[in-house]
Amino acid sequence: MANFVDSPNYEVYDDYYTPKSAWENINHLIPKDKVIWEACLLNSFQSKSVEYLRELGNNVVGDTALDILKDKPLQSDMIITNIPFDRKIKLPILKRLVEIDKPFIIIMNSLNMYAKYMREIFKGNFQHLQVITPDSKINYLKLNPDGTLTETKKCSFYSVYLCYKMNLNPEDLWLGK
């Protein structure tokens, strides 16, 4: 069994984008009468999440110049986003989402659910958390040096949708075909 200690040159590569299929997976769970803020677009000029969510019939706002950590949130009813993988960015964003205190659905690596920091960040709010489990891996779009996007074929981790104050039915928490 491999260990990260065995890989001293391991580096976080965070230039991946969310495919439309990831939003299609949960579109039936997104309230169509709500304004959605795609909150993690800072400098994500290749992201098509806003476009994809709109194509799926949602009312979405987003801004690639807006920093969720520093700027005032956009006027919205809820947040739907794919937060960065890098822990130095992810943890402050999770704390900020709890501070904003709006319903949200975020995509994240499933291993985060076992991390001690999740208990610390969501302490006192566990009753508001739900996890949607997809029926397969989400294969993200990798940003190439030439600016093009390539779909990954075998993502090295599983992703889940972490929900906050969504009050979803338990039968909706396991996606299937």
Side-chain angles (χ1 to χ4, degrees), residues 6 17 30 32 35 39 43 47 51-53 56 75 77 80 83 87 97 100-101 110 119 132 144 157-158 163 165 167:
D6 300 330
Y17 292 86
I30 301 171
K32 300 300 182 239
V35 176
N43 299 324
S47 176
E51 177 184 328
Y52 293 155
L53 287 163
L56 294 169
Q75 187 66 31
D77 301 305
I80 296 181
I83 65 173
R87 187 172 188 227
L97 288 169
I100 293 170
D101 197 37
S110 63
R119 291 193 169 276
I132 301 171
N144 300 308
F157 58 90
Y158 287 89
C163 303
K165 293 191 173 182
N167 300 315

Coordinates of all heavy atoms in Angstrom, one line a residue, residues 6 17 30 32 35 39 43 47 51-53 56 75 77 80 83 87 97 100-101 110 119 132 144 157-158 163 165 167:
D6 N 5.9 8.1 0.8 CA 6.6 7.5 -0.3 C 6.7 8.4 -1.5 O 7.4 8.0 -2.5 CB 5.9 6.2 -0.7 CG 5.8 5.2 0.4 OD1 6.7 5.2 1.3 OD2 4.9 4.4 0.4
Y17 N -11.6 21.6 -13.4 CA -12.9 22.3 -13.5 C -14.0 21.2 -13.5 O -13.8 20.1 -13.8 CB -13.0 23.1 -14.8 CG -12.1 24.3 -14.7 CD1 -10.7 24.2 -15.1 CD2 -12.5 25.5 -14.2 CE1 -9.9 25.3 -15.0 CE2 -11.7 26.6 -14.1 CZ -10.4 26.5 -14.5 OH -9.6 27.6 -14.4
I30 N -31.9 20.7 -6.8 CA -31.7 22.1 -6.7 C -33.0 22.8 -6.9 O -33.7 22.7 -7.9 CB -30.7 22.6 -7.8 CG1 -29.3 21.9 -7.7 CG2 -30.6 24.1 -7.7 CD1 -28.4 22.2 -8.8
K32 N -35.6 25.3 -8.0 CA -35.6 26.1 -9.2 C -36.1 27.5 -8.9 O -35.9 28.4 -9.7 CB -36.4 25.5 -10.3 CG -36.0 24.1 -10.7 CD -34.5 24.2 -11.3 CE -34.1 22.8 -11.8 NZ -32.9 22.3 -11.1
V35 N -32.2 31.7 -6.1 CA -31.0 32.3 -6.8 C -29.8 31.6 -6.2 O -29.6 31.6 -5.0 CB -30.9 33.8 -6.6 CG1 -29.7 34.4 -7.2 CG2 -32.2 34.5 -7.2
A39 N -19.9 30.3 -5.9 CA -19.1 31.2 -5.1 C -17.6 31.0 -5.2 O -16.8 31.8 -4.7 CB -19.5 31.0 -3.6
N43 N -10.7 33.9 -10.4 CA -9.7 33.6 -11.4 C -9.9 32.3 -12.2 O -9.0 31.8 -12.8 CB -8.3 33.7 -10.8 CG -8.0 35.0 -10.2 OD1 -8.4 36.1 -10.8 ND2 -7.3 35.1 -9.1
S47 N -13.9 28.1 -16.1 CA -15.1 27.5 -15.5 C -16.3 27.7 -16.3 O -16.6 28.9 -16.7 CB -15.3 27.9 -14.1 OG -16.5 27.3 -13.5
E51 N -22.6 28.6 -16.5 CA -23.3 28.3 -17.8 C -24.0 27.0 -17.7 O -25.2 26.8 -18.1 CB -22.2 28.3 -18.9 CG -22.8 27.9 -20.3 CD -21.6 27.7 -21.3 OE1 -20.6 28.5 -21.2 OE2 -21.8 26.9 -22.2
Y52 N -23.3 25.9 -17.2 CA -24.0 24.6 -17.1 C -25.2 24.7 -16.2 O -26.2 24.1 -16.5 CB -23.0 23.6 -16.5 CG -21.8 23.3 -17.4 CD1 -20.6 22.8 -16.8 CD2 -21.8 23.4 -18.7 CE1 -19.5 22.5 -17.6 CE2 -20.7 23.1 -19.5 CZ -19.6 22.6 -18.9 OH -18.5 22.3 -19.7
L53 N -25.1 25.3 -15.0 CA -26.2 25.4 -14.1 C -27.4 26.1 -14.7 O -28.5 25.7 -14.5 CB -25.8 26.0 -12.8 CG -24.9 25.1 -11.9 CD1 -24.2 25.9 -10.8 CD2 -25.7 24.0 -11.3
L56 N -29.3 24.0 -17.1 CA -30.1 23.1 -16.4 C -31.3 23.7 -15.8 O -32.0 23.0 -15.0 CB -29.2 22.3 -15.4 CG -28.1 21.4 -16.0 CD1 -27.2 21.0 -14.9 CD2 -28.7 20.3 -16.7
Q75 N -25.9 38.6 -3.9 CA -27.3 38.4 -3.5 C -27.8 37.1 -4.0 O -27.8 36.9 -5.2 CB -28.1 39.6 -4.0 CG -29.5 39.6 -3.5 CD -29.6 39.9 -2.0 OE1 -28.8 40.5 -1.5 NE2 -30.6 39.3 -1.4
D77 N -29.9 33.0 -2.7 CA -30.6 32.3 -1.6 C -29.8 31.1 -1.2 O -30.0 30.6 0.0 CB -31.9 31.7 -2.2 CG -32.8 32.8 -2.7 OD1 -33.1 33.7 -1.9 OD2 -33.2 32.8 -3.9
I80 N -24.0 27.0 -4.5 CA -23.6 25.7 -5.1 C -22.2 25.9 -5.8 O -22.1 26.8 -6.6 CB -24.6 25.2 -6.2 CG1 -25.9 24.9 -5.5 CG2 -24.1 24.0 -6.9 CD1 -27.0 24.4 -6.4
I83 N -15.5 23.5 -4.3 CA -14.4 24.3 -3.6 C -13.0 23.7 -4.0 O -12.9 22.6 -4.5 CB -14.6 24.2 -2.1 CG1 -14.5 22.8 -1.5 CG2 -15.9 24.8 -1.7 CD1 -14.5 22.7 0.0
R87 N -5.8 22.4 0.7 CA -6.3 22.6 2.1 C -6.1 24.0 2.6 O -7.0 24.5 3.4 CB -5.5 21.6 3.0 CG -6.0 21.5 4.4 CD -5.3 20.4 5.1 NE -5.9 20.3 6.4 CZ -5.3 20.2 7.5 NH1 -4.0 20.2 7.6 NH2 -5.9 20.1 8.7
L97 N -18.2 29.6 4.6 CA -19.5 29.1 4.2 C -20.4 29.0 5.5 O -21.6 29.4 5.5 CB -19.5 27.8 3.5 CG -19.0 27.8 2.1 CD1 -18.7 26.4 1.5 CD2 -19.9 28.6 1.2
I100 N -21.4 32.6 6.5 CA -22.4 33.1 5.6 C -23.8 32.5 6.0 O -24.8 33.2 5.9 CB -22.1 32.8 4.1 CG1 -20.8 33.7 3.7 CG2 -23.3 33.2 3.2 CD1 -20.3 33.3 2.3
D101 N -23.8 31.2 6.3 CA -24.9 30.5 6.9 C -26.1 30.4 5.9 O -27.3 30.5 6.3 CB -25.4 31.2 8.2 CG -26.3 30.3 9.0 OD1 -26.1 29.0 9.0 OD2 -27.2 30.8 9.6
S110 N -14.2 13.0 -1.0 CA -15.0 12.3 0.1 C -14.1 12.1 1.3 O -14.7 12.0 2.4 CB -15.4 10.9 -0.4 OG -14.3 10.1 -0.8
R119 N -15.0 18.3 11.8 CA -15.7 18.4 13.1 C -15.5 19.8 13.7 O -16.5 20.3 14.3 CB -15.2 17.3 14.0 CG -15.6 15.9 13.5 CD -15.3 14.9 14.7 NE -15.9 13.7 14.3 CZ -17.2 13.4 14.6 NH1 -17.9 14.2 15.2 NH2 -17.6 12.2 14.2
I132 N -24.5 13.8 -0.2 CA -25.0 13.1 -1.3 C -23.9 12.3 -1.9 O -22.8 12.9 -2.2 CB -25.6 14.1 -2.4 CG1 -26.7 14.9 -1.8 CG2 -26.0 13.3 -3.6 CD1 -27.1 16.1 -2.7
N144 N -5.0 22.4 -19.2 CA -3.7 22.1 -19.8 C -2.9 23.4 -20.0 O -3.5 24.5 -20.0 CB -3.9 21.4 -21.2 CG -4.6 20.1 -21.1 OD1 -4.3 19.3 -20.3 ND2 -5.7 20.0 -21.9
F157 N -9.6 9.9 -6.8 CA -10.4 10.0 -5.5 C -11.9 10.0 -5.9 O -12.3 10.4 -7.0 CB -10.0 11.2 -4.7 CG -10.1 12.5 -5.4 CD1 -11.3 13.2 -5.3 CD2 -9.1 13.0 -6.2 CE1 -11.5 14.4 -6.0 CE2 -9.3 14.3 -6.8 CZ -10.5 14.9 -6.7
Y158 N -12.7 9.7 -4.9 CA -14.1 9.9 -5.0 C -14.6 11.2 -4.4 O -14.0 11.7 -3.5 CB -14.8 8.7 -4.2 CG -14.7 7.4 -4.9 CD1 -13.6 6.6 -4.6 CD2 -15.7 7.0 -5.8 CE1 -13.5 5.3 -5.2 CE2 -15.6 5.7 -6.4 CZ -14.5 4.9 -6.1 OH -14.4 3.7 -6.7
C163 N -23.9 18.9 1.8 CA -25.0 19.8 1.8 C -25.2 20.4 3.2 O -25.0 19.7 4.2 CB -26.3 19.1 1.4 SG -26.2 18.3 -0.2
K165 N -28.0 22.7 5.4 CA -29.4 23.3 5.5 C -30.2 23.1 4.2 O -31.0 24.0 3.9 CB -29.3 24.8 5.8 CG -28.7 25.1 7.2 CD -28.9 26.5 7.6 CE -28.5 26.7 9.1 NZ -28.7 28.1 9.5
N167 N -32.1 20.1 3.8 CA -33.2 19.3 4.3 C -33.7 18.4 3.2 O -34.9 18.3 2.9 CB -34.4 20.2 4.7 CG -34.0 21.1 5.9 OD1 -33.3 20.6 6.8 ND2 -34.3 22.4 5.8

